[in-house]
Amino acid sequence: MNKKHWLLLITCIVLSGCSREFIESVYDVDYTPSNRFAKNLAPLPGQFAKDTAALDSLMNQFSGQVANKWGQDNIKMAGAKTYVKYTDGYLNRADIDFDNGTVTVETIASTDPTAHLKQAIVTTLLTPNNPANVDLFSSKEIAMGGKPFLSDQVVDQNGQSIQWSWRASQFADYLIKNKLQTRTVDFKKSYFVTIPMVQNHSKLRSYQYAAIVRKASRQYDIPEDLIYAIIKTESSFNPYAVSWANAYGLMQIVPKTAGHDVFNLVKGKSGMPSPKYLYNPANNIDTGTAYFHILKTRYLKGIKNSTSMQYSMISAYNGGAGGVFNTFGGGKTNAINDINRLQTNQVYWALTKKHPNSESRHYLEKVTRYQKEFHAMK
């Protein structure tokens, strides 16, 4: 979802308490509840069905605090490929754009702003590689300790990795002296610095999860390059990822749908995983890969060609098994028979040109492109 839609939704909720109908018109999604155990799988929306109660609660509790300090036109919130964290009573903000490879840290403190900014820079650089230590939807301070998340992905003015407080402090002083910028934010003066990440920052993040990906791949018989491609597409290897669909972590798992399926059908557990569980990279990758196993052995079972199966799995991860079946005329049996009669390139063409959901059409294109890149890196 783009920033314009975020701002429109938040403004509506904060200022006027808008209706569900308005939210639906902004998001253009189907809120129909899912039932993973229904006999007819065609209508199922997939793991990205919205958790509207959680979404509403999140907007109401958090956005007002942000708007109060930063104004309606300067609201930023964490997303799948962005890390946004407020601290110091919402006076400081860190914004990491994982797609573009930039880290922006700013403060709107009116008293001794450079001191506030320095503290915010140091905190951002030393934020630990543990999402459990960071509450993205409050201004609660971060529990420090352990290897910093941005270690090696950001280097100081001398090209050195930042892992210790003294180096982070020295780099913060350098940035404030040489890179400080200002702008007006809701009639307040903002002081900020923008730090470029190293060129291969995405690959560095991916390397952290190699052992976890390998284990999940072997356990569930899902290709490693596919797992990597899904993670890059969903979160750009951002373990703090959270999205509009109430999805969490690297593979953007929705607890009530994919999470519930994995717990019940694979793990033999009742209920669904918590956000804390899904923010653990090992749990997240295991859950996401297990969901692919469910798609392969249950919801899409019967597709004979392995490549056609993989295209269908990728599409279903985003748009549901029902979206795949509807692409080929609807109804599981008839759709699978049609898929089995087609060449793999025809299946790909149909899912990228005729799928009823435009997002799912582009999703398959993106994932397969990334998959080729990761396959070439082996």
Side-chain angles (χ1 to χ4, degrees):
M1 184 193 320
N2 61 39
K3 294 180 179 179
K4 180 180 179 182
H5 283 173
W6 265 115
L7 180 58
L8 184 58
L9 174 61
I10 293 167
T11 302
C12 172
I13 291 174
V14 173
L15 296 182
S16 61
C18 61
S19 66
R20 172 80 59 207
E21 289 74 17
F22 180 83
I23 295 175
E24 290 174 0
S25 71
V26 173
Y27 282 83
D28 190 26
V29 294
D30 182 11
Y31 280 87
T32 306
S34 63
N35 178 1
R36 284 293 184 185
F37 300 98
K39 294 181 180 179
N40 180 8
L41 293 174
L44 296 180
Q47 80 120 337
F48 287 107
K50 288 189 184 301
D51 182 346
T52 58
L55 176 67
D56 289 347
S57 176
L58 176 64
M59 295 299 103
N60 284 315
Q61 294 177 15
F62 182 64
S63 60
Q65 296 284 352
V66 176
N68 183 51
K69 295 290 187 180
W70 294 80
Q72 292 293 335
D73 294 334
N74 291 283
I75 292 173
K76 291 184 179 181
M77 301 181 75
K81 298 182 180 182
T82 56
Y83 167 100
V84 178
K85 173 58 181 167
Y86 294 87
T87 54
D88 197 12
Y90 293 93
L91 293 176
N92 301 338
R93 178 167 68 191
D95 178 7
I96 304 175
D97 184 331
F98 292 101
D99 268 349
N100 293 319
T102 57
V103 180
T104 301
V105 186
E106 62 183 319
T107 185
I108 52 173
S110 58
T111 303
D112 202 1
T114 55
H116 285 264
L117 181 59
K118 178 178 179 178
Q119 182 57 46
I121 294 170
V122 171
T123 297
T124 303
L125 294 172
L126 298 180
T127 294
N129 194 18
N130 182 3
N133 288 13
V134 182
D135 181 358
L136 292 175
F137 298 105
S138 78
S139 65
K140 183 179 179 182
E141 298 302 317
I142 297 170
M144 308 301 283
K147 185 177 180 179
F149 167 61
L150 290 175
S151 176
D152 298 327
Q153 298 176 61
V154 171
V155 295
D156 67 9
Q157 71 274 23
N158 299 313
Q160 299 297 310
S161 180
I162 303 164
Q163 300 191 33
W164 309 103
S165 58
W166 64 267
R167 190 179 293 278
S169 180
Q170 286 184 356
F171 188 39
D173 288 335
Y174 167 84
L175 290 169
I176 291 171
K177 181 179 179 180
N178 297 281
K179 304 294 183 180
L180 183 65
Q181 300 181 67
T182 62
R183 65 188 183 106
T184 300
V185 173
D186 194 39
F187 304 106
K188 304 178 183 74
K189 191 171 184 178
S190 165
Y191 296 77
F192 69 98
V193 296
T194 298
I195 311 167
M197 301 174 77
V198 298
Q199 188 171 5
N200 64 335
H201 61 92
S202 181
K203 288 183 180 180
L204 290 174
R205 289 194 301 281
S206 73
Y207 295 155
Q208 300 179 52
Y209 310 115
I212 301 172
V213 169
R214 188 176 305 115
K215 178 181 177 182
S217 171
R218 292 173 179 174
Q219 182 173 353
Y220 299 112
D221 192 27
I222 303 297
E224 288 186 35
D225 53 19
L226 174 56
I227 301 171
Y228 280 117
I230 292 293
I231 297 173
K232 183 172 177 61
T233 302
E234 293 292 347
S235 67
S236 195
F237 297 94
N238 169 21
Y240 295 88
V242 60
S243 82
W244 51 266
N246 199 34
Y248 299 93
L250 293 163
M251 295 185 76
Q252 286 291 273
I253 307 300
V254 178
K256 286 189 175 182
T257 50
H260 181 273
D261 270 11
V262 171
F263 264 31
N264 285 262
L265 301 178
V266 178
K267 303 295 184 183
K269 298 180 180 180
S270 61
M272 58 187 175
S274 66
K276 182 178 180 180
Y277 179 92
L278 293 174
Y279 271 134
N280 178 295
N283 293 341
N284 192 282
I285 293 173
D286 176 83
T287 302
T289 309
Y291 184 68
F292 267 109
H293 173 77
I294 293 172
L295 290 172
K296 181 179 180 180
T297 61
R298 189 181 181 95
Y299 297 154
L300 300 172
K301 185 178 181 180
I303 298 176
K304 296 177 181 179
N305 183 279
S306 60
T307 303
S308 294
M309 169 63 85
Q310 194 163 127
Y311 291 152
S312 300
M313 288 162 52
I314 294 168
S315 183
Y317 191 86
N318 178 264
V324 174
F325 300 152
N326 288 336
T327 302
F328 297 96
K332 179 179 180 180
T333 301
N334 291 336
I336 289 179
N337 288 338
D338 284 347
I339 292 171
N340 287 334
R341 283 192 289 265
L342 296 172
Q343 299 294 319
T344 57
N345 64 318
Q346 294 174 312
V347 173
Y348 180 85
W349 182 89
L351 289 171
T352 57
K353 303 298 183 184
K354 297 296 184 181
H355 193 289
N357 184 287
S358 62
E359 180 183 338
S360 295
R361 294 196 294 269
H362 297 309
Y363 187 85
L364 177 56
E365 293 174 339
K366 186 179 293 186
V367 171
T368 52
R369 183 171 70 250
Y370 287 151
Q371 189 176 5
K372 290 177 182 178
E373 293 176 6
F374 283 108
H375 185 78
M377 291 169 56
K378 286 185 176 181

